Amino acid sequence: MQTFPFLLLFIFILNIKTSLAQDRCGTVEYTRKLKNQNLLKENETVFENWLRNTKSKSKKTSPFRTHATYQVPVVVHVIHNGEAVGIGTNISNAQILSQLAVLNKDYKRLNTDAFKTPTEFLPVAGIFDIEFVLAKRNPEGLPTTGIVRAQGPKLSFTINDSYELKSTSYWPAEEYLNLWVCNNTDYLGYSQFPVSPLAGLANSSNNRLTDGVVIAYQAFGSSDDGAFDLEPNYNKGRTATHEIGHFFGLRHIWGDDSGTCDGTDYVDDTPNQTNNTSGCPAHPSVSCSNNKMFQNYLDYTNDVCMNLFTQGQVSRMKTVIENSPRRVSLLTSPALFDPVPVANDLGIKEIITPSASECNSTFTPTIEIKNYGSNSITSTQIQIKKDGVVVETKLFPSLSLAQLQSIVVTFNNIIFLSGAHTVTFTILQTNGTADGNPADNVVNQSTQIAFTQSLPFTEAFSGIPAAWTIQNPDQKLTWQNVNAPNASPSNNAMKMDFFNYEDSEGEIDLLISPVLDLSTTTLALLTFDISYAQFNSSRNDGLRIVVIENCSSDINQATEIYTKKGFALSTTNNTTNDFVPTSASQWRNEFINLNTFIGKPNIQLAFIGLNDYGNNLYLDNIGITTTAYLDIELTEIISPSPVICESMTTPNIRVKNTGTITITSFSIVTKVNNANPVTTIISGINIPPNETRDVFASNVGLPNEDNILKITLSSVNGVADINPDNDTKQVKILINDNAEQIPQSQNFNTDFSNQWIITNPSGGMDFQSVSTNYATSLYFNAFDDSEIGNKAWLISPVYDFSTLGVSVREMYFDLSYKSKPGTNDRLQILASIDCGQSYPITLFDRSGDLLSSNETSSTSWKPNQPSDWETISVDLSAVAKEKYVRIAFVFTNDSGNNLYLDNINYFVLTKLFTVYPNPTSKNSINITLNLPEKETAKIDIIDRIGKILFSEAIDEAQDQNFSISIPDAAAGLYFVRVRTKSKMHSEKLLLID
């Protein structure tokens, strides 16, 4: 394709909030992400100019070629899911060797399908004399097969998981071509382009730790070499051929020009074409007035249709492999040669101290050294440099290290100032002479010595303070200091740009405080300002705060003290614009008691942004106060419940002392429907810090059918407390005394508003009607509800069990739910015996995975067949003989997945048995026996002409439930019959499809 030097590779328009379409190659998208993340600073035009100038100056004979063929050491990282070798993602050695064989044939044009190259393209077909060799020694210099197997941190990966995937297993990209083979689900493969060695550019990228090629395990290897689990269209190993072409600088032959003829791959002998070619078309296929070279490895055709590189492409790859950083070094990598032990080879295996982060400014340097040589080692001399200055040279004269034996050695203490430092360890001598292998004699450790912050303090973030550190695990967008109006328009704050976080849902970024010494204080309160707007209700960006002890680098060992996501985190209205706060009204002040950490000398606070690709989060004025303070929190309105029978009620509330001073008095201000408030003074009480109490307010009347009850705490110990934001709650209360008779069946297919009541006391999302395979069901849309902790209620009418006695024993209902990983939705069934005033009895309580009726799902769940439902029995003996019974289904949202309810049935067991639901399907017939004593019972299901379709005798039957399936039965009318030695009873049963 002809060159158009002023065009860029990436000319495609992306909607900022859309997801990627699945594609064969993700290299262009991966490169775009590196650029957007400021991890690839080299301009494409600059690189192409360098490449063109370098090609024109290249000599015919390269100084890097000591033989006829370029050799490149390869390490294959198999990132699997725990399977045995040869199963699933843990592909076999044979499949790996198959792929290496494909590469070595394709690049040298020894592929058996080279004869398929059209005659018109034969004059430009190229041979790249390169050999891909499995590495013979690992980074430690020991023998290796070049194959590394590691269990991945997740079951599947996308292009957004590049850093997480590659950090699972990585060898230095200067010496190895890293191939990662895994369950990659959005692309068959993607590669990292080379860079030039131009001044200021070679090291401008932070991406050496990600340099290499990713291939989906079902596109790695060739079906010609074995019965491997490969995608039918991509089963000849050409995905790796394609991606390694990118690794050596090749572009897609159509130039990624989005359907025009103006793009370029910077190679003259590849014909111009408008776009990629899929499938395997017949030749010729015309584009841009040319016959397309869809047989080229850098197009998108099926593997079986690819068969050539061009001479221009080969020339380009030669220039890259002989000149580009992390490409040219592969040609002289020690990994190409079998390790040969030499005499007096002592190496530094590991730096133990210092670590990447240290609390104390004084520490003892400690390293592990290992004998990699052919003889025993009895002495060594090792030098330490601190920021390039020698601080100690130490002789270890009495070693006794056999071959491959190691030992830990220590040095004199070093004192550092707070901040970033580099410690360098160098082996100067081994056995009194120069070390036999200098390659493993020098190791550097970058370490951050934490600053210590005196208390109390407030950090206003006028800039990024030197004492705070930012951790950015995925090397993408992270905490930044920006203008964010608060009390003043010129205010600065720390920002997490979730709005532009490149689809990387679930990624975390840490803002870590200096070391705090709480060993000498008696009180500690964390305060901070936060501002956040959701993008929409389904986006749940979050903030976690954890306490790290002793500068640990393992965040999983930290103690969580705060977490909020989505709606609970928001401080203003949703917006689909890039959110920036405009005034103090869009901020909220948060308070967290740190008294549980009193006495500890080395703690740090980590503020962790949790990305859900929503909208921006801002933090400001983070501080700790050490003076005593008053704070009371209204944690819950216990009663009245959402639906009650009587208009007069006595509110029961739960309060907590979240301050540091014992609370002896406070006021409860109760207001109904914005009417005049009623004040209740609580005195003579004693609530120590961190303890709770349940107290009653004065009686209030609820005049309407629908009411808003608002309760506020005030005048704590006679004064205002420090945090009024946690003093108020309000709930919706409905007056309703509708009663129904038992037995009752509710399938929600007709209007049920006069029987069952749907409500949400806080005004959030409710249960809703929806069509399912059971006609109409109720469901709660937790998948789209971002309000964590939101509670939706489904409340029954009033039942009088007093005349029915113990004959009402069970309630049955159908439930459908699939939990979403990492969430903990909860369903409770509560019972009231005072007409709904309170619900002290818990009949059912499941959450998370225990609530699931099937496997987990990360997508929005909806049942479509009977097997998607579970029939659940609930014991009602706790409310037997009660006169004013109400049953409430209460769903507590954790933004998990959708929950469905249907076919709620109560039974008065006065007969030998009850069959339910009725009508039902042939695969879900439930029978409950009700025998006065244990005896043999025979159950029959009979059709209308008397044929017995099912028959089973139950020994010692009494009060038991049975599920029956008759898969061969057609829809229609049947009879269920139960016989004992003295009784017989029959019921009609209607089966539906």
Side-chain angles (χ1 to χ4, degrees), residues 187 202 207 275 305 352 355 434 454 464 494 557 561 565 575 588 710 760 794 801 988:
Y187 293 100
N207 58 353
N275 214 324
C305 204
I352 299 173
S355 63
S454 59
I464 298 178
M494 299 303 293
Q557 299 302 313
I561 58 173
K565 294 190 291 185
T575 176
R588 180 177 67 241
K710 182 178 180 180
N760 187 315
L794 171 66
F801 288 174
K988 292 180 181 179

Side-chain angles (χ1 to χ4, degrees), residues 60-121:
K60 293 183 179 180
T61 302
S62 168
F64 300 103
R65 298 186 67 180
T66 58
H67 42 73
T69 303
Y70 299 102
Q71 283 193 318
V72 172
V74 175
V75 55
V76 179
H77 305 276
V78 180
I79 310 302
H80 59 81
N81 294 329
E83 305 99 323
V85 174
I87 304 298
T89 58
N90 199 358
I91 63 174
S92 66
N93 287 357
Q95 188 171 344
I96 294 169
L97 294 175
S98 167
Q99 182 63 73
L100 265 290
V102 169
L103 293 172
N104 287 326
K105 292 175 183 177
D106 284 352
Y107 278 80
K108 294 180 181 180
R109 195 160 167 77
L110 297 176
N111 47 305
T112 57
D113 54 0
F115 72 92
K116 295 181 180 179
T117 300
T119 302
E120 66 180 293
F121 299 143

Side-chain angles (χ1 to χ4, degrees), residues 383-402:
Q383 180 188 84
I384 302 180
K385 290 182 181 179
K386 167 187 168 183
D387 297 327
V389 178
V390 176
V391 293
E392 183 180 7
T393 301
K394 186 171 182 178
L395 178 66
F396 297 89
S398 303
L399 301 178
S400 180
L401 290 178

Side-chain angles (χ1 to χ4, degrees), residues 478-494:
T478 192
W479 292 101
Q480 54 186 303
N481 191 260
V482 298
N483 174 251
N486 190 346
S488 72
S490 60
N491 180 72
N492 270 30
M494 299 303 293

Side-chain angles (χ1 to χ4, degrees), residues 271-574:
N272 202 355
Q273 63 185 53
T274 60
N275 214 324
N276 68 71
T277 311
S278 60
C280 195
H283 184 80
S285 177
V286 178
S287 179
C288 299
S289 302
N290 300 307
N291 288 342
K292 294 168 64 176
M293 189 187 283
F294 58 79
Q295 302 85 358
N296 195 283
Y297 294 123
L298 268 294
D299 206 340
Y300 272 12
T301 46
N302 296 348
D303 280 12
V304 72
C305 204
M306 292 179 165
N307 54 57
L308 86 152
F309 289 115
T310 69
Q311 295 172 16
Q313 288 175 317
V314 170
S315 175
R316 183 180 176 91
M317 288 191 285
K318 285 181 178 180
T319 303
V320 167
I321 200 172
E322 292 182 3
N323 297 279
S324 177
R326 296 196 303 272
R327 302 297 181 267
V328 62
S329 58
L330 296 174
L331 303 178
T332 56
S333 170
L336 290 167
F337 309 100
D338 290 314
V340 179
V342 297
N344 303 321
D345 180 11
L346 183 70
I348 300 174
K349 183 176 185 292
E350 180 184 7
I351 296 177
I352 299 173
T353 307
S355 63
S357 176
E358 293 285 345
C359 262
N360 298 316
S361 59
T362 301
F363 56 80
T364 303
T366 307
I367 62 174
E368 183 180 359
I369 54 177
K370 186 171 183 177
N371 181 1
Y372 295 103
S374 58
N375 59 321
S376 296
I377 293 176
T378 58
S379 68
T380 186
Q381 187 181 54
I382 303 177
Q383 180 188 84
I384 302 180
K385 290 182 181 179
K386 167 187 168 183
D387 297 327
V389 178
V390 176
V391 293
E392 183 180 7
T393 301
K394 186 171 182 178
L395 178 66
F396 297 89
S398 303
L399 301 178
S400 180
L401 290 178
Q403 191 176 22
L404 297 181
Q405 188 176 9
S406 62
I407 188 174
V408 173
V409 296
T410 61
F411 300 82
N412 293 327
N413 286 353
I414 300 180
I415 300 175
F416 285 88
L417 297 175
S418 299
H421 298 275
T422 300
V423 181
T424 304
F425 297 86
T426 304
I427 296 174
L428 300 179
Q429 289 186 346
T430 301
N431 286 346
T433 186
D435 190 88
N437 178 21
D440 55 13
N441 287 353
V442 182
V443 180
N444 295 304
Q445 173 67 64
S446 297
T447 185
Q448 181 75 31
I449 309 300
F451 290 81
T452 299
Q453 174 70 59
S454 59
L455 303 178
F457 78 94
T458 299
E459 178 52 63
F461 295 111
S462 56
I464 298 178
W468 291 65
T469 57
I470 294 172
Q471 289 186 11
N472 181 16
D474 62 358
Q475 298 186 6
K476 298 181 181 179
L477 294 175
T478 192
W479 292 101
Q480 54 186 303
N481 191 260
V482 298
N483 174 251
N486 190 346
S488 72
S490 60
N491 180 72
N492 270 30
M494 299 303 293
K495 171 188 176 183
M496 270 307 310
D497 186 3
F498 293 135
F499 189 85
N500 294 301
Y501 210 139
E502 293 301 319
D503 294 314
S504 299
E505 289 89 348
E507 298 296 343
I508 66 173
D509 291 84
L510 291 80
L511 175 66
I512 303 177
S513 76
V515 172
L516 309 173
D517 183 358
L518 301 188
S519 63
T520 59
T521 186
T522 57
L523 299 171
L525 175 70
L526 168 64
T527 66
F528 60 93
D529 293 341
I530 186 170
S531 184
Y532 170 71
Q534 286 183 277
F535 179 81
N536 56 37
S537 61
S538 66
R539 292 296 179 180
N540 292 305
D541 307 305
L543 176 69
R544 288 180 68 216
I545 305 175
V546 300
V547 174
I548 301 169
E549 298 187 42
N550 300 316
C551 296
S552 170
S553 59
D554 186 359
I555 200 69
N556 295 317
Q557 299 302 313
T559 303
E560 183 177 277
I561 58 173
Y562 174 99
T563 183
K564 287 185 180 179
K565 294 190 291 185
F567 178 84
L569 186 67
S570 62
T571 61
T572 188
N573 296 331
N574 295 0

Side-chain angles (χ1 to χ4, degrees), residues 813-826:
F813 69 98
D814 288 335
L815 167 71
S816 184
Y817 176 78
K818 283 189 179 182
S819 64
K820 185 168 73 174
T823 62
N824 201 41
D825 297 325
R826 182 183 186 186

Side-chain angles (χ1 to χ4, degrees), residues 215-236:
I215 306 290
Y217 79 99
Q218 290 177 308
F220 195 82
S222 173
S223 59
D224 294 338
D225 301 321
F228 310 128
D229 180 17
L230 297 171
E231 290 286 344
N233 292 332
Y234 310 109
N235 62 357
K236 302 299 181 185

